[in-house]
């Protein structure tokens, strides 16, 4: 991205007055380190670039290539109702720190690099050409009010801007509050999100026969993504893809 000299002068002055800190390591960032994470934190992330599961987005070991089902998603016998799931990488190390900073630390700027990696993966896999609209997994209104934002919507917004696709932030509604999925065992997670989402009636016409990319921050069992895909398909979406910042086996699902 080109930055005008005036803009870079202004941001340079800001950096002097308010030094930026890496959202992962906490160390002050050098003036030439753009964004919100340090170079070493970014390098430590193992991107699911060439070795991944197209069904659930999980990174695979080096040299494995692309698989259509893996150890982490084989128990979801009917899949997630999605054509493909894209994840930046595993929910570990720097990537986990970034997700936590975004979700609980108020570090909204972290959405940018997460979205940039997702965009690169979506383009690499040709999914950018298949999707028509983008929507985030919603938070319950009370939780969003408490946090001040929906972290998945921040990522989705950046992805939509980069891919120049319509962003429908209020396409899916969370119709009831759910327990934090991270605290539940796997069968209970599915029950927990069952019937928790609905496509807003006035928005349904926007997705009839269209391909929807649904964006979430962390995918654990996939119960949340599967439920979102189910209501989108029921409302008439032609196809559903999912993009998540991190693929987890334990820990935080969408909350
Ligand atoms: Zn998989």
């Amino acid at each position: 991205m080109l930055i005008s000299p005036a803009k870079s002068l202004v941001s340079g002055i800001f950096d002097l007055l308010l030094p930026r800190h890496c959202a992962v390591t906490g160390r002050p960032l050098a003036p030439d380190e753009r964004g919100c994470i340090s170079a070493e934190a970014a390098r430590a992330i193992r991107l699911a670039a060439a070795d991944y599961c197209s069904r659930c987005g999980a990174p695979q070991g080096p040299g494995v290539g692309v698989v259509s089902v893996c150890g982490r998603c084989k128990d979801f016998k009917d899949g997630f109702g999605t054509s493909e799931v894209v994840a930046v990488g595993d929910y570990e190390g720097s990537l986990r720190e970034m997700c936590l900073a975004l979700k609980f630390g108020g570090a909204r700027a972290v959405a940018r690099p997460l979205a940039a990696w997702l965009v690169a993966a979506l383009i690499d896999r040709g999914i950018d050409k298949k999707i028509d609209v983008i929507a985030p997994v919603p938070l319950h209104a009370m939780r969003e009010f408490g946090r001040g934002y929906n972290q998945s919507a921040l990522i989705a917004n950046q992805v939509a801007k980069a891919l120049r696709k319509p962003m429908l932030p209020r396409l899916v509604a969370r119709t009831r509050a759910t327990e934090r999925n991270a605290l539940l065992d796997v069968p209970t997670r599915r029950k927990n999100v069952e019937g928790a989402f609905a496509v807003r009636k006035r928005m349904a016409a926007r997705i009839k026969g269209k391909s929807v990319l649904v964006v979430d921050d962390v995918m654990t069992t996939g119960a949340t993504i599967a439920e979102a895909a189910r209501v989108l398909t029921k409302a008439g979406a032609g196809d559903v893809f999912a993009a998540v910042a991190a693929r987890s086996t334990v820990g935080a699902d969408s909350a």
Side-chain angles (χ1 to χ4, degrees), residues 139-149 178-180 254-255:
L139 285 183
H140 188 265
M142 288 308 287
R143 193 162 286 166
E144 185 168 344
F145 180 75
R147 189 169 296 160
Y149 57 91
T178 50
E179 294 292 314
R180 283 186 191 277
S254 176

Side-chain angles (χ1 to χ4, degrees), residues 18 22 24 26-27 57 70 72 104 107 123 126 138-140 155 157 188 193 210 217 240-241 250:
L18 287 169
C22 171
V24 175
R27 83 149 166 80
C70 74
R72 284 200 233 172
F104 301 115
I123 292 172
L139 285 183
H140 188 265
I155 302 171
N157 211 18
T188 320
V193 292
K210 299 276 175 66
D217 57 345
V240 180
F241 292 85
V250 286

Side-chain angles (χ1 to χ4, degrees), residues 1-5 7-8 11 34-35 112-113 115-116 158 161-162 164:
M1 198 200 311
L2 288 173
I3 297 168
S4 74
K7 208 169 175 185
S8 102
S11 71
R34 301 247 160 238
R112 272 174 190 272
Q158 295 294 332
K161 266 191 203 163
R164 297 172 186 230

Side-chain angles (χ1 to χ4, degrees), residues 174-194:
R174 200 175 273 252
T175 51
R176 62 175 170 82
T178 50
E179 294 292 314
R180 283 186 191 277
N181 257 351
L183 308 175
L184 305 172
D185 62 32
V186 174
T188 320
R189 279 170 188 250
R190 293 196 73 170
K191 271 259 163 285
N192 183 40
V193 292
E194 225 175 72

